[in-house]
């Protein structure tokens, strides 16, 4: 846990944003609620959108700090084995729990060339399928778009 106390979910150095996973149309500006559970939800869990990259980075790193404090206060499962402290951090790294909005595990590719028209068709079909099925596990097949102009514009605005 000492390592995590010094970690960041995201960081900006100069004009460069560092994050473990893909910054895409689903993750850019999205901050999960502290009450987010590590589960297979029937619908998207609560969260909020923020406007700027700096506000987003600060909010995600604040979530990490609060999640670690929650875990320190409640490290064990409750009597019903329903929840435990820091559960939001378990959820944060899981595409299913985050309904396809994990800044940690969303990725641009699982292999292959990611910028071809074929890759775009596969990406769009997988996203449409995940949304149509209303099944959070379907997001495992979704790759993020590395050429998303909306995300690029958001990043440039800072």
């Amino acid at each position: 846990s000492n390592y995590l106390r010094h970690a960041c979910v995201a960081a900006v150095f100069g004009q460069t944003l560092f994050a473990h996973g893909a910054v895409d149309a689903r993750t850019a500006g999205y901050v999960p609620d502290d009450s987010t559970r590590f589960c297979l939800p029937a619908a998207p869990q609560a969260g909020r959108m923020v406007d700027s990259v700096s506000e987003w980075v600060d909010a995600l790193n604040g979530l990490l700090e609060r999640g670690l404090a929650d875990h320190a206060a409640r490290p064990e499962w409750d009597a019903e084995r329903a929840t435990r402290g820091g559960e939001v951090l378990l959820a944060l790294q899981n595409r299913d729990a985050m309904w396809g909005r994990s800044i940690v595990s969303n990725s641009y590719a699982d292999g292959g060339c990611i910028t071809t028209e074929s890759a775009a068709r596969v990406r769009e079909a997988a996203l449409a399928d995940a949304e149509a099925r209303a099944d959070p596990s379907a997001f495992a097949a979704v790759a993020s778009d590395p050429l998303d102009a909306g995300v690029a514009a958001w990043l440039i605005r800072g």
Side-chain angles (χ1 to χ4, degrees), residues 42-135:
Q45 299 189 69
R48 62 187 172 95
M49 297 300 293
V50 297
D51 294 326
S52 72
V53 174
S54 60
E55 185 181 1
W56 181 61
V57 167
D58 289 346
L60 288 175
N61 291 327
L63 180 74
L64 173 62
E65 290 176 17
R66 292 187 305 279
L68 290 172
D70 186 31
H71 180 264
R74 304 180 306 123
E76 304 296 328
W77 288 98
D78 64 8
E80 295 82 30
R81 288 198 53 81
T83 188
R84 63 184 287 181
E87 193 169 357
V88 65
L89 301 179
L90 295 172
L92 186 63
Q93 58 77 41
N94 184 274
R95 286 187 203 183
D96 295 359
M98 296 305 304
W99 204 267
R101 292 182 128 173
S102 173
I103 187 57
V104 177
S105 63
N106 280 21
S107 64
Y108 294 111
D110 290 326
C113 182
I114 61 176
T115 57
T116 63
E117 288 182 21
S118 173
R121 285 191 300 274
V122 168
R123 181 173 46 253
E124 290 164 8
L127 182 57
D129 178 60
E131 290 173 344
R133 288 174 41 195
D135 175 3

Side-chain angles (χ1 to χ4, degrees), residues 9-12 16-30 49 52-54 56-57 60 100-109 123 143-156:
V9 175
V12 175
T16 304
L17 170 65
F18 291 87
H20 184 275
V23 180
D24 61 22
R26 298 186 66 75
T27 60
Y30 178 73
M49 297 300 293
S52 72
V53 174
S54 60
W56 181 61
V57 167
L60 288 175
R101 292 182 128 173
S102 173
I103 187 57
V104 177
S105 63
N106 280 21
S107 64
Y108 294 111
R123 181 173 46 253
S144 301
D145 183 358
L147 301 176
D148 187 307
V151 174
W154 181 76
L155 289 168
I156 290 168

Side-chain angles (χ1 to χ4, degrees), residues 17-41:
L17 170 65
F18 291 87
H20 184 275
V23 180
D24 61 22
R26 298 186 66 75
T27 60
Y30 178 73
V31 181
D33 190 80
D34 288 17
S35 67
T36 301
R37 302 286 312 280
F38 180 53
C39 65
L40 192 61

